Amino acid sequence: VQLQASGGGLVQPGGSLRLSCAFSGGFTKNYYAIGWFRQAPGEEREGIACITNNGGSTYIAGSLKGRFTISKDSARNTVYLQMNNLKPEDAAVYYCAADPGRLWCQRPEAYEHDYWGQGTQVTVSS
């Protein structure tokens, strides 16, 4: 399984970005979830969003609810993270990762994810 995150960039506070995670390759399990993580300099990687392969279960970290949403285009094997009203504290490298076998979403934990994309940088600055 391969994943590629894209869509990061420089945005002003209050702006929006949509990150994409395109994945390919065969999952050996019928169920899986795609998680989004972010890591700011000097900080630990934190799980912020999750969606299951059928889209039936999603998770957004409580502090991000109302600003971030996660969705999936099954035809394109792509998961999106829509980020609105971005704040300077949202600046980080954002990663997507796959958690094979997950039936429902909860806060993503890095150790549960077997496959990782390369990360995309989000900078929020005026």
Side-chain angles (χ1 to χ4, degrees), residues 1-3 23-34 53 77 97-101 114-115:
V1 177
Q2 295 181 326
L3 301 96
F23 57 93
S24 61
F27 287 92
T28 59
K29 298 182 179 181
N30 292 331
Y31 300 97
Y32 60 88
I34 302 296
N53 62 315
N77 279 353
D99 179 0
D114 296 338
Y115 309 98

Side-chain angles (χ1 to χ4, degrees), residues 50-100:
C50 167
I51 188 167
T52 52
N53 62 315
N54 63 2
S57 178
T58 62
Y59 168 90
I60 297 288
S63 61
L64 303 178
K65 285 182 179 178
R67 298 194 298 124
F68 287 24
T69 57
I70 189 169
S71 62
K72 184 176 183 289
D73 184 336
S74 297
R76 297 178 182 269
N77 279 353
T78 300
V79 170
Y80 302 101
L81 184 68
Q82 179 68 44
M83 308 186 297
N84 298 326
N85 190 21
L86 284 161
K87 303 176 180 181
E89 54 263 39
D90 294 318
V93 178
Y94 284 70
Y95 301 88
C96 61
D99 179 0

